[in-house]
Structure formats: C-alpha cells, structure tokens
C-alpha cells in the first residue's frame, strides 16, 4: 500500500498510508492528513488513487504544490518522488519492500524476518515534548509579512482624532475672526 512519509525536520518520520480513493492534505483538522505547519495552506492539495497511479491536485494553495521541484496544479506522483507543500517535503513510498538478493540454496530455508510497522499515527495538536523542544524552524523569515497582513487600528483612530481636532480648531479660529471683524 502506498504511503506518504514526511521528510522535513520537526515532522520527519510522520507518515500516512493512502487507504482511500481521496485524501486531503492541509493545515486544519478537517483534512484526512493534517500537517499543522504555517507554510501549508488550510486545504493545500488532494491525493486521488486511480488504479496504480497517485494523482495530486493543488487546491489553490498559497505556497504551491511541487513534485520533484516542479510546480503543478495536477500531476502524477510516483514512488520515491518528493511532494513539496510550502516548506514541507513528503516522499511517496510504494509500501512494497524491495526483493532480497538471491541467495545460494541451503538445506533449510531461513525464517523470514518481519519488518516492524513503521506507520506513525499523527496526534492532533501539540505534544508536551514538542513544546519543550522550542519553536520549529521552517526556513521562513518570521519578520516577513508573507502570510499575514498586520494592521494597527490604534494609529488609524489617532490619525482620525487628530484631523478632527485640527478641523475644530480651524472652525473656532474662523468664528473668532468673523466676530472680531463685525465689531
């Protein structure tokens, strides 16, 4: 069974087995595979299983969806290729182990070694261990305004108040001068 394995630091080793025909990936909880990272859009992309093909469709994400470094709106992801969502890199594993090299025949076959299941179940939220490790580095300049627009409403109200006071002072002076000129 095909599996998505996260390669990026801080999330490395997390994986998701593609069991259903449609899998959504994004930052918010209602996605099938949630990746809570700021460079990943809330609903970043969807993955569709079409027979043996794994089709990736970008859902108008902010930072784009890439297969092996090439930006796509829709494309086929093959085993071993890297899918990048924002700053997060994910590899598609086919889920089948490579065939062992042929060995010389022996009197009795050796017992097969079972590979432990390396699927990691992603928890929702943040664990205490992750909090103790400190903030994740994503490669983004935290001072940049790439993801959010900051507004300062206090400055806007101070500016409006200053203009109002100036207009009122002008009106009072105008009234005073008209009264002086009448007398």
């Amino acid at each position: 069974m095909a599996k998505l394995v996260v390669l990026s630091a801080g999330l490395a080793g997390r994986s998701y087995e593609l069991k259903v025909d449609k899998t959504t990936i994004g930052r918010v909880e209602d996605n099938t595979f949630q990746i809570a990272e700021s460079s990943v859009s809330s609903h970043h992309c969807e993955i569709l299983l079409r027979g043996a093909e794994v089709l990736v469709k970008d859902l108008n994400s902010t930072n784009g969806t890439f297969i092996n470094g090439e930006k796509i709106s829709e494309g086929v992801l093959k085993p071993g290729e890297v899918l990048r969502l924002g700053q997060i890199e994910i590899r598609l594993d086919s889920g089948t182990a490579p065939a062992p090299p042929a060995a010389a025949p022996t009197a009795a076959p050796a017992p097969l070694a079972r590979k432990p299941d390396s699927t990691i179940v992603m928890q929702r939220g943040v664990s205490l261990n992750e909090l103790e490790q400190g903030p994740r580095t994503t490669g983004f300049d935290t001072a940049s305004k790439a993801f959010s627009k900051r507004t300062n409403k206090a400055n806007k109200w101070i500016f409006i108040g200053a203009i109002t006071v100036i207009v009122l002072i002008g009106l009072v002076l105008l009234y005073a001068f008209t009264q002086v000129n009448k007398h």
Side-chain angles (χ1 to χ4, degrees), residues 7-164:
L7 305 174
S8 299
L11 299 171
R14 293 187 179 184
S15 64
Y16 181 81
E17 193 169 333
L18 299 171
K19 297 177 186 175
V20 294
D21 291 339
K22 179 180 171 184
T23 300
T24 58
I25 302 175
R27 191 178 64 245
V28 295
E29 291 181 9
D30 66 348
N31 288 287
T32 316
F33 184 30
Q34 180 189 16
I35 300 176
E37 208 282 323
S38 62
S39 68
V40 176
S41 291
S42 57
H43 296 97
H44 201 100
C45 69
E46 66 182 9
I47 299 190
L48 305 165
L49 295 178
R50 298 289 181 246
E53 279 190 343
V54 176
L55 182 67
V56 179
K57 286 186 179 181
D58 183 71
L59 298 175
N60 296 319
S61 62
T62 302
N63 294 312
T65 300
F66 298 81
I67 294 179
N68 286 341
E70 184 178 330
K71 187 171 184 170
I72 57 113
S73 58
E74 185 175 306
V76 175
L77 182 65
K78 296 178 181 151
E81 290 186 328
V82 175
L83 174 67
R84 183 165 54 90
L85 312 175
Q87 292 295 310
I88 300 298
E89 290 188 337
I90 303 167
R91 183 183 62 240
L92 177 65
D93 284 347
S94 64
T96 58
T106 58
L112 295 175
R114 290 184 56 99
K115 180 181 169 192
D117 185 11
S118 61
T119 302
I120 297 173
V121 176
M122 288 190 59
Q123 299 174 357
R124 302 223 185 241
V126 179
S127 71
L128 181 59
N129 290 339
E130 289 174 323
L131 287 174
E132 290 171 349
Q133 292 173 358
R136 286 188 236 147
T137 57
T138 61
F140 279 103
D141 178 14
T142 56
S144 78
K145 297 180 180 178
F147 295 110
S148 66
K149 180 179 177 184
R150 295 182 182 173
T151 60
N152 192 340
K153 292 181 181 178
N155 282 348
K156 182 173 92 174
W157 288 111
I158 290 172
F159 182 72
I160 291 170
I163 289 174
T164 305

Side-chain angles (χ1 to χ4, degrees), residues 158-179:
I158 290 172
F159 182 72
I160 291 170
I163 289 174
T164 305
V165 168
I166 290 170
V167 169
L168 286 175
I169 290 173
L171 290 173
V172 168
L173 288 173
L174 184 63
Y175 178 74
F177 283 126
T178 57
Q179 291 300 322

